[in-house]
Amino acid sequence: QKEVEQNSGPLSVPEGAIASLNCTYSDRGSQSFFWYRQYSGKSPELIMFIYSNGDKEDGRFTAQLNKASQYVSLLIRDSQPSDSATYLCAVIPYNTDKLIFGTGTRLQVFP
Amino acid sequence: DTEVTQTPKHLVMGMTNKKSLKCEQHMGHRAMYWYKQKAKKPPELMFVYSYEKLSINESVPSRFSPECPNSSLLNLHLHALQPEDSALYLCASSQDRTSGRASSYEQYFGPGTRLTVT
């Protein structure tokens, strides 16, 4: 079982819709969870981080964490074509400080 | 300000060349990282420096040699690379790795150096 799993996509959503990206992780003791956005040919950009169960909102982005079910999700409201990118979920498992990445989900927002 | 800078942006080198990649941050971060990323794959951790000391080496071949001259600078020296080493090399930094605070682990990436080995 991979430590951090994401559906590779592509996830295609129309402009203005809500895009929902999901991630599961295997280490139940994980404490820190991150979402990075990576445009083709560019470096990862940290867009959200969440440490406690529940929702965290920042503009059009909402991160949701459910430690009991070991999943973290990212919702993008009012999706724009400029949101088209690969979204990497990353987790710091218990007793380590290494960032473990999922393989990323490619999001396509079409006009 | 969450800026990490890297130079050069692109590098083409032969298998017998010696070159260096440079990374700089002025956020007062005390942890710095080198990652390698191949196309359509997530970043792979190579090295971690914490308070200017090498704390993690992920079994990287010796043809890659990291150096941390001070708390703001990180170098990656390259020698006798292979074509399969061609990749995007990413530098990242975070506040700290020893505080235990979750926020200390937020890593910010530089723009990367696109390396091609011929």
Side-chain angles (χ1 to χ4, degrees):
Chain A
Q1 183 188 7
K2 291 182 183 176
E3 293 185 81
V4 180
E5 294 207 50
Q6 295 181 256
N7 188 319
S8 61
L11 173 65
S12 291
V13 300
E15 185 174 356
I18 295 175
S20 177
L21 301 145
N22 300 313
C23 171
T24 57
Y25 58 94
S26 59
D27 188 322
R28 185 170 288 279
S30 299
Q31 297 293 324
S32 305
F33 307 87
F34 306 89
W35 283 100
Y36 286 85
R37 177 177 63 197
Q38 187 169 26
Y39 292 112
S40 181
K42 302 295 185 182
S43 65
E45 175 191 3
L46 180 62
I47 55 171
M48 288 291 282
F49 47 86
I50 186 166
Y51 308 126
S52 304
N53 271 332
D55 294 2
K56 178 183 177 183
E57 188 174 317
D58 184 1
R60 294 187 297 113
F61 298 105
T62 299
Q64 298 175 318
L65 175 61
N66 183 324
K67 288 187 178 180
S69 301
Q70 293 175 240
Y71 85 77
V72 57
S73 61
L74 179 70
L75 301 178
I76 306 176
R77 288 182 300 283
D78 189 23
S79 295
Q80 301 297 309
S82 58
D83 295 324
S84 299
T86 295
Y87 289 80
L88 294 161
C89 173
V91 174
I92 296 183
Y94 177 72
N95 224 19
T96 180
D97 46 15
K98 294 183 192 179
L99 202 54
I100 307 298
F101 286 92
T103 51
T105 297
R106 189 156 66 93
L107 173 66
Q108 293 178 335
V109 181
F110 56 91
Chain B
D1 182 11
T2 56
E3 187 176 5
V4 177
T5 58
Q6 290 187 244
T7 55
K9 289 184 179 160
H10 301 276
L11 178 62
V12 180
M13 60 185 290
M15 290 189 283
T16 58
N17 291 159
K18 283 185 182 180
K19 296 287 184 182
S20 296
L21 309 185
K22 296 187 184 301
C23 173
E24 190 167 6
Q25 56 88 15
H26 292 289
M27 296 179 278
H29 288 177
R30 303 312 301 268
M32 296 184 77
Y33 310 77
W34 280 116
Y35 288 86
K36 172 183 176 180
Q37 188 177 25
K38 301 282 267 184
K40 300 191 187 306
K41 298 288 188 184
E44 295 174 43
L45 184 64
M46 299 175 72
F47 302 103
V48 181
Y49 274 83
S50 179
Y51 288 84
E52 295 131 65
K53 290 190 177 0
L54 182 65
S55 60
I56 296 177
N57 176 340
E58 292 286 270
S59 303
V60 178
S62 60
R63 57 186 185 268
F64 296 91
S65 174
E67 178 195 20
C68 188
N70 60 54
S71 59
S72 301
L73 290 173
L74 187 65
N75 298 323
L76 185 63
H77 303 297
L78 314 173
H79 173 55
L81 294 193
Q82 304 297 308
E84 59 264 28
D85 296 321
S86 298
L88 180 66
Y89 287 83
L90 296 161
C91 174
S93 71
S94 65
Q95 277 183 10
D96 200 338
R97 293 176 62 247
T98 60
S99 70
R101 292 192 309 273
S103 61
S104 297
Y105 298 105
E106 294 159 22
Q107 291 187 28
Y108 296 90
F109 284 84
T113 294
R114 176 75 59 187
L115 174 67
T116 303
V117 181
T118 61

